[in-house]
Every structure is written in structure tokens, then in C-alpha cells.
């Protein structure tokens, strides 16, 4: 029986740097299933068209995808409409809901990971929240703020992405101990170029990937860590270790490992688990039922839907890390004790 998997990949557009890890992993699994890919073009409409092509033309019973706060939900919605399960990752799970299956962390998990770092700067540090005036900022106010009880959080005014002027935010943050954000690397770099350097900056979203840091000289920014070559997990399919996967990726592409690589691999591990445990591996409903009861030990850690924080959601543990000399170093692991600590948090004396 030929197993068929559809994959929506951002090969072009602003998310294209994330497409390479997904394409790399898809090629590694090509001998285990017939894998069909389609470019989302990093847009919601492109994602919808990619899903339609995969389902209608290639008759795939399941679609995998990752990344993009508007692109991923569009792919999931298209899967809903066409009656196939969507299996996705890398986006905080509160940002969208569908009838598909998602494994990731929550905005509250990011807050807890960052709070562990803030407390090393000052007890109950005052935090300036550099959040935008769009969907991302609104979601952070709903899901991040409630996890920061008993802290002073300065979260206004919001900024517009791409603005050249952060004077209102700089004035509001005059007395904060640290700055936290989910800004693009370009926006965070623009803010820091105009502001007096805070003692610590924590930033998720684009700052979890090396290209965002190196392109904009954002060393010492702290971020979330969900996967590294040091994580002690192995593939449920062939026993490949995290370190071996990262090494193979660098050797093949000439690029440094990136955190989404581990989650991309886990997508295919879960899909193959579903095929093996579904009553009918060609039936989308049977695959959805198999994923809903799945507990899979993957190269990105255990993925457990029955034990997840919400229906259709499985949790991914977060450690705290910091970019130091171009490398992402795990500096705190209360939320993810399996992640080995590799260094100390570096805090500026200024601010």
C-alpha cells in the first residue's frame, strides 16, 4: 500500500528560510511514503492553494505544515474545508484553533520561560513589552500577560511593524529592568539602535532562528529553546539522534542547524505513527482518530495528544536560551529539564 503525505512548504516569500529544514526532512522520509510538496509562497492564499493542490490533485489523506502566524491557520482551515487532517507545529497554540492537530508551546509557556531569565536580572523585574498593534500583540496580551502575575508589565503603547520610530515605546520603558518582545529581527534591531540598552532582552518568534540574529547583529538576546542537537531524543522511526540530524542538515545544506529542524522531523514521525495505527491508513478520518490518541517519542521529545493542554494540541517543552557569539546557548531549563544547560545568562550592567 502506498502511503501518501502532503506537505505545505514556505519555499518562497518571507518565511522561505523555514522551508529548507522542512524540505530537507521530507527528502529523508521519501523512501517511507510518497511525499508531495507544494509552496505556500509564505501567504495565506498561497497556503490555501497549496492544500487544494495536494488534496485534490494528489489525493493525500493528511497534510503537514509549519510556521507563519497567518499562513499556518490558512492551511489548517483549507484542510478543514477539504476534510483531511492537518498536522502542524511551531506556532503558539493559542494563536489559532482548528479541527486539525498541532504540537507546540503556549504563550503562557513562553512567559514562564522568560520569567526564569528575568528573575536573574532583578527580583520581580519590571518588564517593558515591545508588542505590535496587530494579531501577534493582541494574542500576547491575552495569553502572555496572565502568566506574569505579580509583575509590573508595561505593555503600551503598541507599535506598527516596520515603523522607523520607537520614541513612544522608549519613553514608556524608561524605568524597566528588561524588555521582552515578539518582534521581527528587523524591528527589534531598530528599537535597540534607538534605545538605551536594557539589561536584558527576551524575544521569541524570529529570534529563535539563527538567520534573524546574525543578519541584524542581535547577540545576547535571550529566546525560547525547543530543540537543539544536544537534546537527548532520538527518532522513533530509525533511532537518529538530534546531534546526527543537525550534522546531516549542515553537511547537506551548508547551513547551521535551526530549531525548526527537530520539529519538522517530528511531523513525519507522527504521520508515520498515524499510518501504522489507523484502522485504514488511506482514510482521513481514521488518520485523525489515530493522531488524537497518539503518544509518540520523537526526535523533538514526547508528543502526547491525550495529555495536551487543549483538544487537538500536544505540548512541547521550552527551555531558556541566549544568543552568545552567534550560537544559541541553553541557560535555563526549569520548563525543559531534558535540555542540557550549556552556559550562563549574560546580563548587561547598563540600563
Amino acid at each position: 500500500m502506498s502511503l501518501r503525505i502532503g506537505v505545505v512548504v514556505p519555499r518562497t516569500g518571507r518565511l522561505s528560510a523555514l522551508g529548507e529544514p522542512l524540505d530537507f526532512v521530507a527528502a529523508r522520509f521519501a523512501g517511507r511514503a510518497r511525499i508531495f510538496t507544494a509552496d505556500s509562497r509564505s501567504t495565506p492564499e498561497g497556503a490555501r492553494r497549496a492544500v487544494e493542490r495536494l488534496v485534490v490533485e494528489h489525493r493525500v489523506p493528511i497534510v503537514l505544515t509549519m510556521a507563519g502566524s497567518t499562513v499556518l491557520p490558512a492551511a489548517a482551515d483549507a484542510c478543514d474545508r477539504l476534510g483531511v487532517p492537518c498536522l502542524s507545529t511551531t506556532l503558539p497554540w493559542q494563536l489559532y484553533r482548528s479541527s486539525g492537530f498541532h504540537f507546540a508551546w503556549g504563550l503562557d509557556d513562553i512567559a514562564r520561560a522568560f520569567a526564569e531569565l528575568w528573575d536573574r536580572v532583578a527580583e520581580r523585574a519590571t518588564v517593558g513589552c515591545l508588542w505590535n498593534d496587530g494579531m501577534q500583540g493582541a494574542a500576547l496580551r491575552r495569553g502572555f500577560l496572565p502568566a506574569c502575575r505579580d509583575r509590573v508589565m508595561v505593555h503600551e503603547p503598541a507599535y506598527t511593524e516596520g515603523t522607523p520610530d520607537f520614541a513612544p515605546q522608549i519613553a514608556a520603558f524608561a524605568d524597566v529592568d528588561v524588555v521582552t518582545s515578539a518582534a521581527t529581527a528587523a524591528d527589534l534591531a531598530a528599537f535597540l539602535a534607538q534605545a538605551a540598552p536594557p539589561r536584558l532582552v527576551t524575544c521569541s518568534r524570529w529570534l529563535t532562528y539563527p538567520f534573524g540574529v546574525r543578519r541584524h547583529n542581535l547577540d545576547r538576546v535571550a529566546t525560547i529553546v525547543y530543540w537543539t542537537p544536544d537534546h537527548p531524543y532520538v527518532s522513533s522511526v530509525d533511532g537518529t539522534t538530534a546531534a546526527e540530524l543537525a550534522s546531516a542538515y549542515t553537511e547537506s545544506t551548508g547551513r547551521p542547524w535551526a530549531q525548526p529542524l527537530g520539529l519538522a522531523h517530528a511531523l513525519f514521525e507522527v504521520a508515520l505513527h498515524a499510518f501504522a495505527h489507523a484502522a485504514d491508513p488511506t482514510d482521513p478520518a481514521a488518520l485523525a482518530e489515530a493522531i488524537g490518541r497518539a503518544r509518540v517519542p520523537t526526535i523533538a521529545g514526547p508528543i502526547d495528544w491525550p495529555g495536551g493542554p487543549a483538544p487537538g494540541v500536544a505540548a512541547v517543552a521550552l527551555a531558556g536560551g541566549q544568543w552568545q557569539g552567534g550560537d544559541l546557548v541553553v541557560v535555563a531549563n526549569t520548563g525543559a529539564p531534558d535540555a542540557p544547560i550549556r552556559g550562563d545568562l549574560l546580563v548587561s550592567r547598563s540600563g
Side-chain angles (χ1 to χ4, degrees), residues 102-147:
H102 190 70
F103 60 94
W105 46 92
L107 296 168
D108 50 335
D109 298 313
I110 298 174
R112 284 188 285 269
F114 283 172
E116 184 176 4
L117 305 180
W118 302 338
D119 287 343
R120 298 186 186 183
V121 175
E123 185 176 356
R124 297 298 174 191
T126 299
V127 181
C129 304
L130 187 67
W131 293 341
N132 67 31
D133 57 6
M135 183 189 78
Q136 198 90 21
L140 286 162
R141 288 175 175 82
R142 291 194 308 271
F144 189 102
L145 278 181

Side-chain angles (χ1 to χ4, degrees), residues 12-87:
T12 55
R14 66 187 185 88
L15 301 175
S16 59
L18 304 181
E20 195 165 63
L22 192 51
D23 265 333
F24 171 79
V25 172
R28 286 175 67 90
F29 280 89
R32 300 179 183 274
R34 291 190 66 187
I35 297 173
F36 301 89
T37 62
D39 184 8
S40 71
R41 303 181 184 273
S42 301
T43 69
E45 181 57 29
R48 285 188 284 269
R49 290 179 178 176
V51 170
E52 290 171 358
R53 177 183 171 192
L54 293 169
V55 176
V56 176
E57 295 182 19
H58 298 297
R59 304 184 309 280
V60 300
I62 187 171
V63 172
L64 318 183
T65 194
M66 62 193 302
S69 55
T70 60
V71 177
L72 192 156
D77 289 345
C79 288
D80 283 350
R81 179 168 51 83
L82 294 170
V84 299
C86 181
L87 179 61

Side-chain angles (χ1 to χ4, degrees), residues 108-196:
D108 50 335
D109 298 313
I110 298 174
R112 284 188 285 269
F114 283 172
E116 184 176 4
L117 305 180
W118 302 338
D119 287 343
R120 298 186 186 183
V121 175
E123 185 176 356
R124 297 298 174 191
T126 299
V127 181
C129 304
L130 187 67
W131 293 341
N132 67 31
D133 57 6
M135 183 189 78
Q136 198 90 21
L140 286 162
R141 288 175 175 82
R142 291 194 308 271
F144 189 102
L145 278 181
C148 300
R149 295 181 296 272
D150 302 324
R151 295 179 185 276
V152 177
M153 306 290 289
V154 182
H155 57 89
E156 298 291 353
Y159 71 95
T160 300
E161 288 200 349
T163 181
D165 181 14
F166 286 92
Q169 291 75 32
I170 291 169
F173 298 167
D175 297 319
V176 304
D177 298 301
V178 301
V179 170
T180 197
S181 187
T184 65
D187 282 345
L188 182 62
F191 168 80
L192 293 175
Q194 299 171 40

Side-chain angles (χ1 to χ4, degrees), residues 9-11 13-24 42 66-68 90 205-206 208-211 226 249 258-261 264:
V9 183
R11 288 200 181 98
R14 66 187 185 88
L15 301 175
S16 59
L18 304 181
E20 195 165 63
L22 192 51
D23 265 333
F24 171 79
S42 301
M66 62 193 302
T90 66
R205 201 177 171 195
W206 288 101
T208 62
Y209 314 127
F211 63 83
Y226 47 86
Y249 178 75
Q259 294 203 66
L261 180 63

Side-chain angles (χ1 to χ4, degrees), residues 17 20 184-186 188-189 206-221 223 229 249-250 253-259 322-329:
E20 195 165 63
T184 65
L188 182 62
W206 288 101
L207 269 295
T208 62
Y209 314 127
F211 63 83
V213 175
R214 292 169 183 153
R215 187 181 302 168
H216 296 282
N217 190 27
L218 291 170
D219 206 44
R220 289 203 178 192
V221 173
T223 191
Y249 178 75
T250 297
T253 66
R255 298 184 184 278
W257 66 271
Q259 294 203 66
Q322 187 177 39
W323 291 98
Q324 298 179 2
D327 295 324
L328 181 58
V329 179

